[in-house]
Amino acid sequence: MLMVSCEVVGYWALCVGFLKDNPTQVVESPSMLQEEEEPQPEEFVLVEKTEEDGVVEQIIFSSGGDVDIYDLQTLCDKVGWPRRPLSKLDAALKNSYMVATLHSIRKSPGSEGNDQKKLIGMARATSDHAFNATIWDVLVDPSYQGQGLGKTLVEKIIRALLQRDIGNITLFADSQVVEFYRNLGFEPDPEGIKGMFWYPKY
């Protein structure tokens, strides 16, 4: 079972997670160690629906990490997140181990090649590529919330991390959405683990 420890500090909750009841350690000789393959990006249609006017909307999941920072800033504005410098957003994306996105693509009848593409969701993870990973910035456009898209983003990232034998997964979450993560199998404060913060004192 995947567990996460959450410590609410002001606006944020620090969550520390690990796989419970997994005491097995595998010790490999140097000859058995191989270079890890880079995660292969995947892309597929998650949802497709046809509207009354014939417009077809597809929601595309991608783990390729292709995010336009201006589109991301627009999405952050929609969910009410404070603005961050674009150069730092760009650096955060480039230094992430994994970035998963959801795009809405709307296709009107008879308008081949004029598809409307919009970023509607994103989540990312950083990692040491061995033991630990942290999930960050899970967000879904408010007009698409309530459809299980955020759940899908988090589950896909967790599955990809576990496939790479990364079992200590942490995340940061607004205290109002701790229940959302609890419903995904995360557990606050397992075995008394607490998150700790260090802030500069100016």
Side-chain angles (χ1 to χ4, degrees), residues 43-106:
E43 183 172 302
F44 57 87
V45 177
L46 190 62
V47 178
E48 182 173 303
K49 61 183 177 184
T50 304
E51 299 173 0
E52 290 181 9
D53 58 2
V55 173
V56 175
E57 181 180 29
Q58 293 180 328
I59 296 177
I60 309 291
F61 171 87
S62 173
S63 62
D66 184 23
V67 181
D68 181 281
I69 57 171
Y70 297 99
D71 291 344
L72 178 55
Q73 186 177 59
T74 299
L75 183 57
C76 290
D77 290 344
K78 286 182 180 179
V79 298
W81 285 12
R83 284 208 164 190
R84 297 179 276 186
L86 291 177
S87 60
K88 287 197 169 192
L89 273 180
D90 189 46
L93 292 171
K94 286 179 180 172
N95 291 305
S96 294
Y97 179 64
M98 183 181 308
V99 178
T101 59
L102 296 172
H103 283 90
S104 163
I105 298 180
R106 296 175 60 83

Side-chain angles (χ1 to χ4, degrees), residues 121-133:
M122 191 203 78
R124 66 185 184 93
T126 54
S127 177
D128 60 12
H129 296 225
F131 304 106
N132 307 293

Side-chain angles (χ1 to χ4, degrees), residues 4-185:
V4 170
S5 162
C6 297
E7 174 71 9
V8 178
V9 180
Y11 183 75
W12 296 98
L14 174 65
C15 302
V16 180
F18 58 90
L19 288 174
K20 188 177 182 184
D21 302 326
N22 187 13
T24 306
Q25 286 188 324
V26 177
V27 179
E28 297 173 332
S29 67
S31 62
M32 294 175 64
L33 296 175
Q34 297 177 356
E35 187 68 30
E36 283 287 320
E37 290 184 16
E38 282 299 308
Q40 294 298 313
E42 61 176 324
E43 183 172 302
F44 57 87
V45 177
L46 190 62
V47 178
E48 182 173 303
K49 61 183 177 184
T50 304
E51 299 173 0
E52 290 181 9
D53 58 2
V55 173
V56 175
E57 181 180 29
Q58 293 180 328
I59 296 177
I60 309 291
F61 171 87
S62 173
S63 62
D66 184 23
V67 181
D68 181 281
I69 57 171
Y70 297 99
D71 291 344
L72 178 55
Q73 186 177 59
T74 299
L75 183 57
C76 290
D77 290 344
K78 286 182 180 179
V79 298
W81 285 12
R83 284 208 164 190
R84 297 179 276 186
L86 291 177
S87 60
K88 287 197 169 192
L89 273 180
D90 189 46
L93 292 171
K94 286 179 180 172
N95 291 305
S96 294
Y97 179 64
M98 183 181 308
V99 178
T101 59
L102 296 172
H103 283 90
S104 163
I105 298 180
R106 296 175 60 83
K107 304 176 181 185
S108 299
S111 62
E112 294 262 337
N114 291 328
D115 299 344
Q116 300 172 0
K117 183 177 180 181
K118 177 174 71 168
L119 179 68
I120 62 165
M122 191 203 78
R124 66 185 184 93
T126 54
S127 177
D128 60 12
H129 296 225
F131 304 106
N132 307 293
T134 301
I135 297 173
W136 304 88
D137 300 335
V138 180
L139 66 165
V140 174
D141 186 313
S143 60
Y144 288 86
Q145 291 178 7
Q147 302 177 39
L149 299 177
K151 177 177 184 274
T152 298
L153 281 170
V154 174
E155 287 177 341
K156 288 284 185 188
I157 286 182
I158 290 172
R159 187 175 300 119
L161 292 170
L162 293 176
Q163 286 172 347
R164 290 163 182 82
D165 200 27
I166 297 171
N168 186 25
I169 301 170
T170 63
L171 61 85
F172 287 85
D174 177 38
S175 58
Q176 295 174 334
V177 294
V178 169
E179 196 60 31
F180 167 78
Y181 293 105
R182 192 191 305 266
N183 290 335
L184 289 173

